[in-house]
Amino acid sequence: MSTGFTSSLTFAGKQTIIYLGSITLIAGIVGGFLDIVVFLSLKTFRRSPCGFYLSVMSISNIGQMITGLLSRILTTGFNIDWTLTSLFYCKFRLYCYQVCSLISMTCICLASIDQYFATCSRPRVQQWSNINLARRLSAIFTVIWIIHNAPFLIYYDHIVSLTTGKVTCIITNNVFDQYTTYSITVTLGKVLPIGITLLFGFLAYRNVQQITYRTLPMVRRELDKQLTVMVLVQIVFGFFTITPYTIIYILLKVPQLSQDPTNAACLQYATALTTCMLYIYFAVSVF
């Protein structure tokens, strides 16, 4: 009974990655390119700091789709794992994914903060919302994350099993492994961005409720409302898609939960499902 149930969960998880993952991958790449075209072609968005952050986020999301989801689909559905045949890809794939992920989450944080600045009634605060600052901050954080994640290129390596002779691509430093799990993936990549975006998203929403009572040009008022709504939708959707993945990811790091085959199968299926939910967040167009 338990063996059949375990096999069913394993099969269901594999099919989820193949079919739901493939749909998400296509939608994410196409949607990401459409976002970039719209943000860069329309003057109102091109001159907006929030629009600039969202365009950088779209570029980063495409990078995540290619380095993260595509690799998972190939490995799960077709047993094609390039990390086992290429040492360069073993080191570069997760490095690139983590850089893109952190840039994407940083941009949605900066976009929510910018919308709070842009919709604030105090002129001095509004001055912090400008395209030059947006470009500088995006460049600074991009360089920070590129340097910060450099240890992935060092500590990911091919390890050959002495018993089976199989090659695996894993982290060879236990300290960096723990840092990756709890500091990079959970804190910097999930918990901290969710907290920041929820806080400033709420503050921006409160400002927008009062924006009709202030003397502002109609175009500026409507643009602020539109951008704030776009960011808020992204924040709320992100909360409900990223949180389940974060919980399952932490549970997978508890060895006691994986000792029972049934529990392990349940966690693996939950991992497949929440992983697709995570990528759906990065794939969904901000429109």
Side-chain angles (χ1 to χ4, degrees):
M1 178 67 179
S2 61
T3 304
F5 179 69
T6 301
S7 301
S8 298
L9 284 179
T10 302
F11 178 78
K14 182 178 180 179
Q15 299 305 304
T16 299
I17 291 292
I18 294 174
Y19 293 105
L20 182 57
S22 297
I23 295 172
T24 303
L25 176 66
I26 296 171
I29 294 177
V30 174
F33 278 114
L34 290 176
D35 286 345
I36 295 169
V37 170
V38 171
F39 282 127
L40 296 181
S41 61
L42 295 180
K43 185 181 295 185
T44 52
F45 289 128
R46 193 167 62 244
R47 293 180 176 179
S48 167
C50 182
F52 181 80
Y53 289 133
L54 294 179
S55 63
V56 175
M57 184 184 74
S58 298
I59 296 172
S60 301
N61 290 345
I62 293 175
Q64 289 189 87
M65 293 290 121
I66 296 174
T67 57
L69 185 55
L70 176 60
S71 178
R72 186 177 287 268
I73 293 172
L74 292 175
T75 303
T76 303
F78 307 98
N79 293 322
I80 301 175
D81 192 349
W82 293 330
T83 63
L84 304 182
T85 57
S86 171
L87 179 60
F88 169 78
Y89 191 71
C90 167
K91 293 175 176 291
F92 180 76
R93 186 191 74 84
L94 198 60
Y95 168 76
C96 185
Y97 170 80
Q98 290 290 356
V99 170
C100 291
S101 176
L102 290 174
I103 291 175
S104 177
M105 299 307 292
T106 300
C107 284
I108 191 61
C109 289
L110 293 174
S112 64
I113 295 172
D114 178 79
Q115 280 311 106
Y116 165 70
F117 290 155
T119 57
C120 187
S121 60
R122 290 173 289 179
R124 181 173 295 182
V125 176
Q126 290 181 15
Q127 293 177 359
W128 287 96
S129 176
N130 66 82
I131 189 64
N132 291 328
L133 179 62
R135 289 168 179 165
R136 293 193 190 99
L137 288 177
S138 297
I140 290 171
F141 277 107
T142 298
V143 172
I144 289 174
W145 296 136
I146 288 175
I147 296 174
H148 175 268
N149 290 287
F152 281 99
L153 299 173
I154 301 172
Y155 294 121
Y156 259 88
D157 205 348
H158 281 166
I159 300 298
V160 181
S161 173
L162 297 177
T163 56
T164 62
K166 291 184 177 181
V167 178
T168 55
C169 176
I170 59 174
I171 296 178
T172 57
N173 185 285
N174 291 330
V175 176
F176 182 66
D177 186 22
Q178 294 296 313
Y179 179 75
T180 300
T181 300
Y182 299 104
S183 297
I184 298 179
T185 304
V186 176
T187 305
L188 293 176
K190 305 295 182 296
V191 177
L192 189 59
I194 289 175
I196 292 175
T197 53
L198 286 175
L199 172 61
F200 283 94
F202 168 76
L203 294 175
Y205 175 77
R206 190 178 63 178
N207 288 343
V208 167
Q209 298 303 301
Q210 303 170 353
I211 206 170
T212 55
Y213 302 104
R214 304 204 301 266
T215 305
L216 287 174
M218 178 64 72
V219 176
R220 168 66 186 278
R221 188 163 64 235
E222 292 304 316
L223 178 62
D224 285 338
K225 285 183 178 180
Q226 183 180 5
L227 286 172
T228 302
V229 169
M230 291 163 61
V231 172
L232 285 175
V233 170
Q234 193 82 1
I235 291 170
V236 174
F237 187 70
F239 176 80
F240 288 105
T241 52
I242 294 176
T243 302
Y245 172 84
T246 305
I247 294 173
I248 297 300
Y249 182 83
I250 294 174
L251 292 177
L252 281 173
K253 298 301 178 179
V254 181
Q256 293 79 3
L257 296 178
S258 302
Q259 292 178 352
D260 181 73
T262 303
N263 289 341
C266 290
L267 284 174
Q268 289 301 321
Y269 174 71
T271 300
L273 185 60
T274 55
T275 297
C276 287
M277 291 174 60
L278 175 70
Y279 281 108
I280 287 174
Y281 164 74
F282 294 114
V284 168
S285 168
V286 294
F287 293 104

